Amino acid sequence: MEHNMKNRYFIMLLVALGLSSCATIEGIGKDLESAGEAIQEGTRDKGE
């Protein structure tokens, strides 16, 4: 089940990056940071 959740988060990250239209490295970094924070929030919510 843990493996399935990791796959789901990885796919969500790829979709988020694919849909983002940032043109700079700074923008990509911000998008990655936002995606990472969303994943962390999701795992915190599941752990409680």
Side-chain angles (χ1 to χ4, degrees):
M1 185 156 160
E2 179 74 25
H3 185 65
N4 188 24
M5 292 297 289
K6 286 182 181 180
N7 284 341
R8 183 180 298 171
Y9 288 131
F10 182 71
I11 290 169
M12 289 171 48
L13 175 65
L14 289 178
V15 169
L17 289 174
L19 293 176
S20 66
S21 59
C22 55
T24 65
I25 298 299
E26 182 180 355
I28 292 170
K30 288 180 181 179
D31 289 344
L32 286 172
E33 182 179 4
S34 296
E37 289 172 0
I39 290 170
Q40 287 178 342
E41 280 297 315
T43 57
R44 279 192 212 126
D45 292 344
K46 298 287 181 186
E48 292 180 0

